[in-house]
Amino acid sequence: MNRVIVVGGGASGLMAAAAAASRGAKTILLEKNDRCGKKLSICGKGRGNVTNTADKDAFIAAFGKGGRFLYSAFSVFFRDELLLQLEKLGIDTVAERGGRVFPSTQKAASVTDALVKWCRDEGVRI
C-alpha cells in the first residue's frame, strides 16, 4: 500500500490528501494551525474566493515570466476541474465582477468544511 504524507492543511493540501486517499494511499495530513483551511477562511473577506474566470493563458500571464512553470500543472488541473470537484462536494459557485468565483453560500467555511469532510470520508488522518 502506498503511503502519503501531505504537509499543510490549506485548500491545496486538503485536496491533495483527499485525492491521494481516494486512489488507495494511506494518507496523513499534517497541519500546524488549530484547524485546516485557515487562510481560505479569510480570503475574499471571509467569502472564500476559490478561483477566477480568466482563461489559462491570461491567468499565467498575470504571474509574469515566472508563471510559465504553471503550464504543466494547469494542463492537468485548472479552473474547470476545480469547479467540477467543488460541485461533486456539494459546493455551488457564483462568478462576480472582476471574474472572482465564490461559493454560493458566500462563506469560505463551506468550502473548508466540504474539503475536510472529503478527507475524512476518504480516510485521511488529520
Side-chain angles (χ1 to χ4, degrees):
M1 171 183 284
N2 291 326
R3 295 178 182 187
V4 173
I5 297 175
V6 176
V7 178
S12 296
L14 287 164
M15 290 192 72
S22 73
R23 289 164 177 79
K26 183 175 180 172
T27 307
I28 297 172
L29 173 64
L30 303 175
E31 173 54 49
K32 68 178 180 175
N33 289 311
D34 59 333
R35 61 187 164 89
C36 290
K38 205 166 189 174
K39 287 183 187 173
L40 177 62
S41 68
I42 61 171
C43 76
K45 297 181 182 175
R47 297 188 308 141
N49 185 356
V50 294
T51 190
N52 65 66
T53 60
D55 68 22
K56 193 181 314 175
D57 290 333
F59 187 86
I60 290 172
F63 286 89
K65 290 180 182 178
R68 289 183 297 219
F69 80 95
L70 296 169
Y71 273 106
S72 61
F74 286 167
S75 68
V76 177
F77 191 93
F78 190 58
R79 178 197 54 248
D80 292 345
E81 292 79 15
L82 171 63
L83 295 176
L84 180 62
Q85 184 59 50
L86 291 175
E87 186 179 311
K88 287 178 184 177
L89 297 175
I91 302 295
D92 294 320
T93 57
V94 294
E96 296 186 0
R97 71 181 187 343
R100 297 172 300 164
V101 178
F102 294 91
S104 61
T105 61
Q106 299 295 299
K107 295 179 182 176
S110 60
V111 177
T112 303
D113 293 348
L115 293 173
V116 169
K117 181 181 182 315
W118 182 27
C119 282
R120 291 206 166 111
D121 290 349
E122 295 295 344
V124 174
R125 193 170 119 214
I126 301 174

